[in-house]
Amino acid sequence: MKSTVKILAISGSLRSVSINSALLRAAVRLAPPGTSVEIYAGLGELPLFNPDLEVDPPAAVRSLRGQVAATDALLIASPEYAHGITGVMKNALDWLVSDVAFPGMPVGVLNASPSARHADASLREILKTMSADLVEPASISISLVGSGLDEDGMVNTPAVASALQGALQSLHAAVLSQRDAPL
């Protein structure tokens, strides 16, 4: 039995100063013992989804699918654009729709702006449609937009750090529960 819970963190933003990406980097630093969080760095490398390419997917798609298959859970943070999730996040999820490793995958959703309720709802709907195991206690909203907090500030702000640690612990527990479930 695996002892460490591996979480792959995916930011739906390509911005270098993205608050969502900073939130995920803070999660890496705040991961509880027995949990490793790795940031997926290939979002901008994925080609636009094309079902015709699924027979022999491009290298970037194979890499994404391989990383998902090698992890125990996903942690997603994505901003809201025009009342929806970002195009790059939707594109990545489209590439995972037919991936056999995805159904039943425990997923936590982080929302860095509680006013981004449309994107949060849209992301949750997409994940449910894809048969993800959406872990509600690991899916939280933290009001960070306009806070001035960067990654260090998030780690060092007790309310933010505590909320993030709680989400990670919930995702960790969901993975362990799946591992212990009878086949």
Side-chain angles (χ1 to χ4, degrees):
M1 177 179 273
K2 294 192 265 182
S3 58
T4 299
V5 170
K6 293 173 58 176
I7 298 171
L8 184 63
I10 304 175
S11 173
S13 178
L14 300 177
R15 291 184 65 219
S16 60
V17 294
S18 164
I19 195 117
N20 290 281
S21 297
L23 183 59
L24 293 175
R25 288 191 305 272
V28 170
R29 293 171 55 184
L30 293 167
T35 304
S36 71
V37 180
E38 179 183 332
I39 304 286
Y40 172 69
L43 195 68
E45 307 300 318
L46 292 170
L48 291 176
F49 177 70
N50 179 345
D52 292 340
L53 299 177
E54 289 207 277
V55 173
D56 185 20
V61 174
R62 289 192 311 272
S63 176
L64 169 64
R65 289 177 175 174
Q67 289 181 58
V68 168
T71 197
D72 298 306
L74 297 178
L75 185 63
I76 299 174
S78 186
E80 179 172 293
Y81 291 141
H83 283 188
I85 63 172
T86 62
V88 291
M89 176 55 67
K90 179 65 168 90
N91 187 53
L93 293 173
D94 285 345
W95 280 114
L96 293 174
V97 165
S98 65
D99 186 19
V100 297
F102 190 84
M105 173 77 61
V107 179
V109 175
L110 302 180
N111 184 351
S113 176
S115 65
R117 64 187 182 281
H118 298 287
D120 188 62
S122 176
L123 180 56
R124 290 165 180 264
E125 178 62 24
I126 292 165
L127 291 167
K128 288 175 187 172
T129 300
M130 293 174 62
S131 299
D133 177 10
L134 191 57
V135 181
E136 287 301 334
S139 300
I140 59 172
S141 290
I142 304 173
S143 189
L144 294 173
V145 173
S147 70
L149 295 177
D150 60 4
E151 174 188 340
D152 288 333
M154 291 176 206
V155 169
N156 294 307
T157 300
V160 174
S162 176
L164 202 46
Q165 287 171 324
L168 290 166
Q169 288 166 347
S170 294
L171 200 50
H172 180 105
V175 168
L176 293 182
S177 177
Q178 269 193 3
R179 285 182 187 168
D180 293 340
L183 297 176

